[in-house]
Amino acid sequence: MSPLLNLQLALLLAAVVGIAGQTTAEEAKRLPNLVLIFTDDQGYQDLGCFGSATIKTPHLDKMAAQGLRLTSFYAQPVCGVSRAALMTGSYPIRIAEPGNIKRLHTVPHSKETTIAEVLRRAGYATGMIGKWHLGLDQKGVPGGMDPETTPNAQGFDYFYGTPKYNGYTVYVDDVDMRVPIMRNQEVVVEAVEDWDHITATYTDEAIRWIEAHQQQPFFLYLAHNMPHIPLGASEKFKGNSDAGFYGDCIEEIDWSCGEILKTLKQLGIDDNTLVVFTSDNGPWVETTRAMEPRGEAFIPRDHSGNADPLRGWKMSAWDGGCRVPFIARWPGKIPAGWESDEMLSTMDLMPTFASLAGAMLPDVDLDGKDATDFLTRKIEQSPRDEYLYYSGCLLTGVRSGSWKLVLPRSESPAGLGWWGRMIEEVPDPLLFNLDDDPGEVSNVANDHPRIVASLMKRIERARSELGDIDHPGSSARSFDDGPRKLQRPLH
């Protein structure tokens, strides 16, 4: 069904419902546009408004000054896992996957409902530009991805970008791997040889798409490949940042955000558009393989970001792996200059966007919370009262309020494959007060046994409902026959 026909049907339905005194067709036309800008491997501190002294981000700093900055916003610690949580409003351990295989990079089952599907059913045009990384590998098809797991099959009317990540080495020429770029189901670039112009290209694509859909409510998901290695920045930005090549990439992303905001203003839809900026996980800091003191050199320090004052980085089970910058701007709806340390997560965006769009959520258990009243500051308290730390299917801890409990674990735990190398041993339970100790340095478990016991009750509920590395949970979804299997078995 075409996007135009979808809109016509949605407006017709709105008009019919309006007869009953609920929503009119005219009100449906005023539904807010939704723009989600998602970066890749960007550290918590890597914006001026989050403390960077070396990376200049005037457009994002201004966006924060005109809107909301959240300092306890959580994603997931790895790329594909994080995108799955964002798209489905669920912890990845809950999400059904093809063949009931829990993969290191989650692949949502085709029967899972994405945020794009929810919004498209409400009459929204849905466009995705950038990195997908939620597809199932399949040889002999365009882009090497099972057609049922492409963006177009998961709710997006339009897709331009990469089906997977751009690489896993510092330089493109370090390996033979090359990534295609697709427009919908067509491969338009067979193999990317350098990434210098990817941010500018995505920006041009995003602006053209917004201009083409300005007459109807739209959802744009702009998922930058940067600053994931191999890095790339155009001539205007390369070599200009005080933070090296990585900083160049962030400063070009900042420019891109400025271009998006300028376009919305020029089109006269700025006041009716919610723009959200965040990252998929923390920075990939791995100067030597697995950070071994005498290990083989890997990522130069000027090719990755900074999670200070948090502990850890991408793939780790500390806050630096999954706590990311968050900015939201919506003139007249989100108060300017508001900052909060209340918890929120990528999972909360799906129910929040659905609420703003007047859309129906899928009839399944979700972990996301509707944060509409919180984001617009009708209330000061976030609807999220806990965040569970999962590394793949391994439950490693929980945060509630300012308290974080870290569970005992072995070094490089079984079942986590290649990214288990970034997880160190924790022999005994640890308790941190993140308000006083964001770097997770001072264990105060012995001083607060009642808090430890209270948090353990949350852990026990999570193990029962969602599951853990050694068993599925009672509320985990499955659409295929057979037991749950791990991509990297425990034994």
Side-chain angles (χ1 to χ4, degrees), residues 138-274:
Q138 182 175 327
K139 294 181 179 179
V141 295
M145 181 168 51
D146 180 350
E148 289 191 354
T149 63
T150 63
N152 294 124
Q154 297 280 31
F156 287 101
D157 304 323
Y158 180 76
F159 168 57
Y160 179 91
T162 62
K164 295 178 69 174
Y165 49 87
N166 41 309
Y168 53 87
T169 56
V170 176
Y171 303 105
V172 176
D173 292 339
D174 288 343
V175 291
D176 293 335
M177 174 191 174
R178 297 293 184 273
V179 180
I181 294 178
M182 302 180 70
R183 178 173 279 111
N184 297 320
Q185 298 301 305
E186 177 187 1
V187 174
V188 294
V189 177
E190 290 286 344
V192 177
E193 294 295 338
D194 76 71
W195 295 92
D196 283 350
H197 298 99
I198 195 68
T199 299
T201 299
Y202 285 169
T203 305
D204 290 342
E205 285 279 338
I207 289 172
R208 284 197 296 269
W209 190 87
I210 290 171
E211 290 172 341
H213 296 87
Q214 60 180 295
Q215 298 300 325
Q216 66 182 109
F218 63 77
F219 167 52
L220 172 63
Y221 173 41
L222 174 54
H224 286 288
N225 285 70
M226 293 296 111
H228 191 297
I229 57 171
L231 299 179
S234 61
E235 293 79 5
K236 182 180 177 181
F237 295 92
K238 188 177 289 187
N240 285 347
S241 170
D242 293 335
F245 200 176
Y246 178 89
D248 298 341
C249 298
I250 299 297
E251 292 187 5
E252 186 162 19
I253 288 171
D254 177 74
W255 162 83
S256 172
C257 293
E259 293 298 295
I260 300 295
L261 293 171
K262 182 172 70 174
T263 298
L264 296 173
K265 194 170 186 65
Q266 289 172 341
L267 295 176
I269 57 176
D270 184 48
D271 290 348
N272 195 41
T273 304
L274 168 62

Side-chain angles (χ1 to χ4, degrees), residues 270-340:
D270 184 48
D271 290 348
N272 195 41
T273 304
L274 168 62
V275 181
V276 170
F277 176 93
T278 190
S279 176
D280 66 340
N281 47 248
W284 190 353
V285 179
E286 195 171 359
T287 53
T288 62
R289 294 282 181 178
M291 298 300 284
E292 290 289 339
R294 292 180 295 278
E296 178 186 355
F298 185 23
I299 305 177
R301 199 61 193 91
D302 64 353
H303 278 61
S304 59
N306 196 328
D308 287 351
L310 309 179
R311 179 176 180 177
W313 35 70
K314 175 182 177 177
M315 296 180 276
S316 76
W318 308 107
D319 260 36
C322 54
R323 191 168 163 185
V324 291
F326 176 94
I327 303 170
R329 178 185 182 274
W330 188 6
K333 300 294 192 301
I334 293 178
W338 182 36
E339 297 182 2
S340 175

